[in-house]
Amino acid sequence: MLQEEKKTLTEMDADRKIERSKAVFREAVERFGPDRIALAITGGKDSTTALWIARRACEEMGVKLPLCMFIDEGDVFDEILEFMARIKKLWSLDIACLKNKDVSSKARGLGDMVKVSSLDEANQAALREMGFIGEEFPLMPDSTVCNHLMKTVPMREFITANGLAAVSIAIRWDEQAARRDEDYFAARANPLHTRVHPILHFTERDIWTAIFRHDIPYNGLYKQGYRSLGARCATGRASDMPAWMQDMENTPERVGRGQEKEKVMGQLRALGYM
Amino acid sequence: MKIFKRKKNRKVVVVGIDGAPCSLLRDYMERGIMPGLKEMCAGGSLLKMNSTLPEISSVAWTSFLTGKNPGEHGIFGFMEIDPETYEYRFPDSRSVKAPGIWEKNGSRSVVFNIPQTYPARPINGVMVSGFVALDLKEAVYPERLFRELSAMGYRLDVNAQLAASNPEAFFRDLFETFEKRSKAIMRVYEKEDWDLFICAITETDRLHHFFFDSALEGRYYGRFADLYSRLDSFLKEMADRAEKDGAVFMTCSDHGFTEIESEVYINRWLMENGYLSLSGGEGLKGIERQSLAFCLDPSRVYIHMEGKYKKGTVGKSGREELIGVLKGNLRDIRFQGKEVIKEIFLGEEIFRGPYACCGPDLYLLPNYGFDLKGLTRSPRLFGTTRFRGMHTYDDAHFFISRDFERENLKIEDLAGIISGFLECPCAGGLK
């Protein structure tokens, strides 16, 4: 996509962005059919907003909402599970919960070592494919290795088992550098499917605008100051202020995620600082 | 033809050895643990060097990379506090206010595992960030390197949490991390195109923090000998490659190390002497209005100034007086009769540049053995924990594969020396 086109899309009003997202979603339904798409949801603000948009698009088209897919990466906030239960009921959703049990059952707790040889063939193959050559790795949902196993492997199996042609994922261009080059539709191999990204053009602020304008449910953790939600062990509050009151334009959203304060503090403490 | 050209461009190679004291390197050469370095010293120069104040990796390596004083690059420690909320803030690569050597010389550079460079930013060359780096993906530039490093099982850092709970697991992790890091460094050295190659080994500092009491003898002496002899092979290999490529070879450390006799908690002292009151909350969040001063790691003392901090009440004239009183009283801290503090510096004496005012009002340099800390919750003034080693301001080192002499060498001088070789490849550079 051209930079200029991206710029125009990013600068639209939140309601026009919703319309644009609906159009992307409609195109996905027309291309693949509602039965061959799954909507990835995480209990976070982006995927909930995307889901709300998808519901509207489906209503307008008179088709049923595709299946929702939630991946349990191994260290999920209770608040996320509660929130999922809440929207499931509110919107009568069909949610498939995916978890890489083979990996998570091999360790008692976070940080425990998992032996590669104890894993099933699908997981071992996934490790080989990413070039991992070690004999063991620690179970840390936010590490590169675990992230790949806990997220990618169950999703692949799910796509294959259900014969899916597309998975819709609520990523945004402004979230992090790695997502800046994404497109609304992107082909993925192994297994062959299409990633649909209906809300790429939303900024963090647009999400909150949409949430408050349309009364979209959101997770209470944001009110406590979390800006972005991931695995519990890798997520911290960015501030005491509710997410929507923070300086979204000048402070990083994924503070509290990865980079992020608790982890920095953990590393510094381990070396005797603080 | 291309290969020939590439090798010709290779001008400077620097291997940082985090926390490696000059005195220890000399001792290990004598003991035969570092024969490679000994051989290198025959054709080069090993000098004692001073760190920065504070003598902390993030500050010292930033001065190394920029050639600047903390007052010019803006990094005074691993954490700062928010003047409104008193919450900790953690400066990262985006907080560094001065350009790195690689930005100034227009040369193609590799900057591998230097602290305070996370997240990695675009560079004409290759960047792999060092401590505190959290996510490998954000720690590499360009992105293509991410796959390569993660495939090698490259680790950003040793898991220091293991040291206290499971020393054997810690050593295993330490050596594996060292092996992976040195392999990754060699690989990037060979595969990339560069004029300037800078890398650092972190594992030395990690071992020192927890076990420095075994550096010369004791239960874990074998681990020291093992790590330093592996390090020696790595250095020799790098030096040989540099020589083959016609590049000058250097090593340096960001500070020295010594054994801890006692930790000393400066905030506790400030509290006991009526300069600081804290109600609950993490760190300094619960600071009360009547507080006159507080300390951030390791021994940066800040006056709680009105206008600068939300609850600050000390005015300009009060500041001068308070500094005088604090200087006098802090000097009196004794541990079993021994003077704890060697020297007290005023911020304006040691920091210069546009950000000097962001630095501490006072900086306390301890005598060897007394590890000053900014911890806020210690019930006592003195204590020992799982840590056995502390940084020193002097006794860092600099090695160069040339004849070289310099009085009072300090780490911020190195950028100038490196630049000299980049500009004058005929190995002049030195005056």
Side-chain angles (χ1 to χ4, degrees), chain A residues 130-145:
Chain A
M130 73 180 294
F132 182 80
I133 41 180
E135 285 175 0
E136 53 180 11
F137 58 88
L139 185 76
M140 286 307 266
D142 54 321
S143 71
T144 314
V145 172

Side-chain angles (χ1 to χ4, degrees), chain A residues 131 258-261 265 272 274, chain B residues 88 94 134 151 282 297 373:
Chain A
Q259 163 130 316
E260 330 289 4
K261 212 168 160 181
M265 286 173 46
M274 328 246 329
Chain B
Y88 289 125
R94 293 165 290 204
L134 302 171
E282 176 192 73
D297 268 325
K373 295 206 175 260

Side-chain angles (χ1 to χ4, degrees), chain B residues 96-109:
Chain B
V96 178
K97 308 287 200 309
I101 333 175
W102 67 88
E103 289 168 86
K104 283 182 286 193
N105 287 284
S107 40
R108 200 171 159 79
S109 306

Side-chain angles (χ1 to χ4, degrees), chain B residues 13 19 39 55 66 101 105 112 131 163 201 204 214 218 222 231 234 289 307 328 361 414:
Chain B
V13 177
E39 194 187 321
E55 62 279 28
T66 61
I101 333 175
N105 287 284
F112 200 115
F131 188 72
I201 295 296
T204 37
S214 286
L231 174 69
F234 171 69
R289 195 165 282 280
D361 295 283
L414 299 190

Side-chain angles (χ1 to χ4, degrees), chain B residues 153-380:
Chain B
Y154 179 77
R155 299 173 190 178
L156 287 165
D157 209 337
V158 179
N159 181 356
Q161 268 140 358
L162 289 172
S165 57
N166 188 347
E168 287 311 312
F170 171 77
F171 293 129
R172 199 167 60 229
D173 186 38
L174 182 101
F175 285 104
E176 280 177 20
T177 307
F178 171 77
E179 293 301 334
K180 294 198 158 135
R181 198 185 311 283
S182 47
K183 270 204 191 85
I185 288 171
M186 297 273 197
R187 191 146 149 174
V188 171
Y189 182 105
E190 287 307 325
K191 285 178 74 171
E192 298 291 330
D193 230 338
W194 48 266
D195 314 72
L196 171 62
F197 190 95
I198 297 175
C199 63
I201 295 296
T202 322
E203 289 62 46
T204 37
D205 179 87
R206 304 300 183 256
L207 179 66
H208 296 175
H209 270 289
F210 298 98
F211 302 103
F212 204 74
D213 54 344
S214 286
L216 297 177
E217 57 178 3
R219 185 164 176 201
Y220 297 110
Y221 174 66
R223 306 296 185 167
F224 273 80
D226 190 0
L227 181 65
Y228 272 87
S229 90
R230 293 191 205 198
L231 174 69
D232 186 63
S233 310
F234 171 69
L235 294 177
K236 185 73 174 70
E237 174 72 36
M238 290 293 283
D240 288 348
R241 289 182 191 205
E243 194 183 352
K244 217 170 71 200
D245 290 340
V248 61
F249 180 77
M250 307 176 192
T251 74
C252 69
S253 49
D254 53 335
H255 49 75
F257 246 96
T258 190
E259 247 183 89
I260 294 178
E261 186 170 347
S262 179
E263 294 182 1
V264 186
Y265 311 106
I266 299 301
N267 278 321
R268 181 71 207 171
W269 184 90
L270 291 170
M271 289 170 88
E272 285 177 0
N273 290 276
Y275 298 103
L276 172 65
S277 15
L278 294 173
S279 57
E282 176 192 73
L284 293 159
K285 263 184 92 171
I287 195 165
E288 293 186 356
R289 195 165 282 280
Q290 68 266 32
S291 300
L292 302 177
F294 57 86
C295 173
L296 292 178
D297 268 325
S299 48
R300 290 178 281 159
V301 177
Y302 293 81
I303 305 297
H304 197 207
M305 298 280 290
E306 185 182 2
K308 191 171 174 190
Y309 300 98
K310 195 178 178 189
K311 296 187 211 163
T313 50
V314 183
K316 269 212 167 99
S317 57
R319 174 181 183 266
E320 301 308 314
E321 196 188 329
L322 183 58
I323 284 179
V325 175
L326 279 172
K327 265 186 92 166
N329 293 344
L330 282 161
R331 223 187 290 278
D332 291 339
I333 302 178
R334 296 269 190 290
F335 177 79
Q336 296 172 358
K338 283 179 257 186
E339 269 185 41
V340 165
I341 292 170
K342 183 176 181 207
E343 212 164 342
I344 301 179
F345 297 96
L346 297 181
E348 50 261 43
E349 290 171 342
I350 50 174
F351 304 126
R352 50 164 204 281
Y355 304 98
C357 55
C358 307
D361 295 283
L362 290 174
Y363 185 70
L364 320 179
L365 183 69
N367 280 311
Y368 272 33
F370 300 110
D371 195 15
L372 307 186
K373 295 206 175 260
L375 183 76
T376 52
R377 289 174 311 278
S378 169
R380 290 177 307 277

